[in-house]
Amino acid sequence: MTDPAVATAVGPVGVTAGPAGRAEPSRGGAVPVEPLRVGIVGGGFMARVHAGAARSAGARVVALASSSPASAARAATSLGVDTAHESVDDLVTDPDVDVVHVCSPNATHAPVALAALAAGKHIVCEKPLATSGAEAEALVEAARAGRLVGAVPFVYRYHPMVREARARVAAGEVGRVLSVRGSYLQDWLLDSDDVDWRVDSAAGGPSRAFADIGSHLVDLLEFVLGDRLARLTSTTNTAHAHRGGSSVDTEDEAAVVFETTRGAIGTLFVSQVAPGRKNRLLLDLSGTAESLEFSQEEPETLWVGRRSGTQLVARDAAVLTPDAARLSTVPAGHPMGYVDAFAGFVRDAHDAVRGGTPEGLPTFVDGLRAVRVTEAVLASAASRRWVDVP
């Protein structure tokens, strides 16, 4: 999700994802001073999340810009940021900013990020990276050309038990993956009088539910499996034709059937109108040896199923695989959740800015991938046919 800041704005994936999602080092831009200095575009909930995660990672949040000088000033005061810029252009060209975090509405992501890349800034851009594949491709190429870090907060990768699931799949413990079931359910747009800028395609893009939360689900699935969706068929549903007196042209729900490049089959379902479901992201996969299930609302455990019985594996760095243990920043028994996952992502993104190669950092390449899958879902729903995923 992103913040309601409207920005107008007229460089390289220094970090690019390899076959296993491993990052390549950045070599572009000026050598950043320590601690890193962050500028945020946006003034709402996600701006607050990014500011907290950046500070947790040891960075200084030095500047903020929003939809107007007044809203920037209010947000800067609320978040304890010293400089409120009058425009986004002022922020992205600020010599005291090393990394720009883009938390503005979806349609502004590409122009803001391109302007920041042109100014030699590293970028953390909220998803969706862009509202079209062409825009997302332009961002990947611009970041790559400037050898600048471009990261996208698919933060559910940063739950330790997700890394544990990924390691078990990679090690062959589940056997050959046969099937996958994924869902992401929310209820914040259940009623017809629930209105948000994301509902309007002019601000949020042609897809709402799938671009907003389905992108997280697909990224998580492909990250854990080390596999890709190869082809899919889908259908979408809009619960309310009108919201707040305006016509609705984006989907509330999407259902997808897919095949992967390695022959697994599966289903995905996303909804923003599921009563009582606040943020239920669930991934359930079955292999020839065992099954795994992870629920974001219960992130401290991983369910493991075998024909001979089941096991609930609790987060404990002493028994987890190294990458899962790395992200376990507090002792077992002290619950970790979304805020910790977000902080872990920002630590890795900022490490990449310094030239590090953090394992599993989601980059602009991954952001482009999510946009392409979203476009395939919309194309299939419109044509009522199977679609190959690029």
Side-chain angles (χ1 to χ4, degrees), residues 330-381:
V330 298
H334 298 74
M336 294 180 63
Y338 173 77
V339 171
D340 303 286
F342 217 107
F345 158 74
V346 173
R347 279 195 303 273
D348 273 8
H350 289 185
D351 178 39
V353 169
R354 299 184 184 93
T357 57
E359 174 65 27
L361 176 67
T363 70
F364 276 12
V365 172
D366 300 296
L368 169 60
R369 172 65 181 173
V371 173
R372 284 175 169 162
V373 173
T374 299
E375 288 183 331
V377 168
L378 293 185
S380 175

Side-chain angles (χ1 to χ4, degrees), residues 224-247:
V224 170
L225 264 61
D227 195 4
R228 293 283 181 112
L229 274 63
R231 58 195 302 261
L232 59 81
T233 184
S234 65
T235 186
T236 61
N237 180 49
T238 300
H240 304 291
H242 296 85
R243 289 181 182 271
S246 299
S247 298

Side-chain angles (χ1 to χ4, degrees), residues 164-175 177 223-226 262 292:
E164 180 71 12
R166 181 178 186 240
R168 287 171 178 249
V169 172
E173 294 182 33
V174 305
V177 176
F223 182 69
V224 170
L225 264 61
R262 295 178 185 168
L292 301 176

Side-chain angles (χ1 to χ4, degrees), residues 6-41:
V6 177
T8 302
V10 193
V13 182
V15 176
T16 56
R22 189 168 181 82
E24 301 294 338
S26 168
R27 290 179 171 79
V31 176
V33 299
E34 295 294 340
L36 291 181
R37 300 166 299 179
V38 168
I40 294 178
V41 178

Side-chain angles (χ1 to χ4, degrees), residues 3-386:
D3 294 334
V6 177
T8 302
V10 193
V13 182
V15 176
T16 56
R22 189 168 181 82
E24 301 294 338
S26 168
R27 290 179 171 79
V31 176
V33 299
E34 295 294 340
L36 291 181
R37 300 166 299 179
V38 168
I40 294 178
V41 178
F45 169 71
M46 289 312 302
R48 183 173 298 278
V49 172
H50 278 251
R55 287 165 174 152
S56 176
R60 292 173 54 220
V61 183
V62 299
L64 185 145
S66 189
S67 56
S68 69
S71 63
R74 287 193 299 270
T77 298
S78 174
L79 297 178
V81 179
D82 289 340
T83 300
H85 281 294
E86 294 196 356
S87 72
V88 173
D89 284 339
D90 288 344
L91 184 141
V92 300
T93 58
D94 185 343
D96 291 329
V97 171
D98 302 308
V99 187
V100 175
H101 287 234
V102 181
C103 307
S104 51
N106 301 350
T108 70
H109 289 180
V112 171
L114 282 170
L117 290 168
K121 308 298 185 185
H122 303 282
I123 308 291
V124 174
C125 182
E126 266 297 334
K127 51 81 211 157
L129 178 60
T131 57
S132 73
E135 286 182 326
E137 287 175 5
L139 285 169
V140 168
E141 291 307 315
R144 180 176 289 130
R147 295 189 175 184
L148 294 163
V149 171
V152 179
F154 289 125
V155 297
Y156 299 116
R157 293 185 179 196
Y158 280 82
H159 285 298
M161 302 314 290
V162 164
R163 298 297 176 110
E164 180 71 12
R166 181 178 186 240
R168 287 171 178 249
V169 172
E173 294 182 33
V174 305
R176 178 168 59 90
V177 176
L178 301 174
S179 61
V180 186
R181 292 149 298 282
S183 61
Y184 199 158
L185 309 178
Q186 300 175 333
D187 70 355
W188 66 288
L189 288 171
L190 178 62
D191 298 328
S192 60
D193 57 355
D194 292 326
V195 178
D196 184 86
W197 62 261
R198 295 169 183 81
V199 173
D200 181 7
S201 62
S207 171
R208 176 173 24 101
F210 202 87
D212 188 28
I213 58 178
S215 57
H216 273 300
L217 182 58
V218 169
D219 179 80
L220 189 68
L221 183 158
E222 294 190 337
F223 182 69
V224 170
L225 264 61
D227 195 4
R228 293 283 181 112
L229 274 63
R231 58 195 302 261
L232 59 81
T233 184
S234 65
T235 186
T236 61
N237 180 49
T238 300
H240 304 291
H242 296 85
R243 289 181 182 271
S246 299
S247 298
V248 175
D249 60 354
T250 53
E251 80 283 357
D252 290 303
E253 299 179 307
V256 180
V257 177
F258 65 85
E259 298 174 358
T260 73
T261 59
R262 295 178 185 168
I265 61 174
T267 61
L268 301 173
F269 184 71
V270 300
S271 174
Q272 294 177 323
V273 291
R277 298 300 190 183
K278 304 307 177 184
N279 204 58
R280 187 183 182 274
L281 184 158
L282 183 115
L283 183 65
D284 176 17
L285 63 93
S286 297
T288 54
E290 65 182 26
S291 297
L292 301 176
E293 182 181 283
F294 173 80
S295 172
Q296 195 277 151
E297 291 186 336
E298 296 151 348
E300 288 284 271
T301 58
L302 178 69
W303 182 86
V304 180
R306 303 181 186 91
R307 191 169 188 179
S308 58
T310 64
Q311 177 185 10
L312 199 61
V313 179
R315 182 185 61 80
D316 183 348
V319 298
L320 297 180
T321 53
D323 198 32
R326 173 180 77 91
L327 297 174
S328 295
T329 54
V330 298
H334 298 74
M336 294 180 63
Y338 173 77
V339 171
D340 303 286
F342 217 107
F345 158 74
V346 173
R347 279 195 303 273
D348 273 8
H350 289 185
D351 178 39
V353 169
R354 299 184 184 93
T357 57
E359 174 65 27
L361 176 67
T363 70
F364 276 12
V365 172
D366 300 296
L368 169 60
R369 172 65 181 173
V371 173
R372 284 175 169 162
V373 173
T374 299
E375 288 183 331
V377 168
L378 293 185
S380 175
S383 67
R384 298 291 179 175
R385 295 180 178 178
W386 282 85

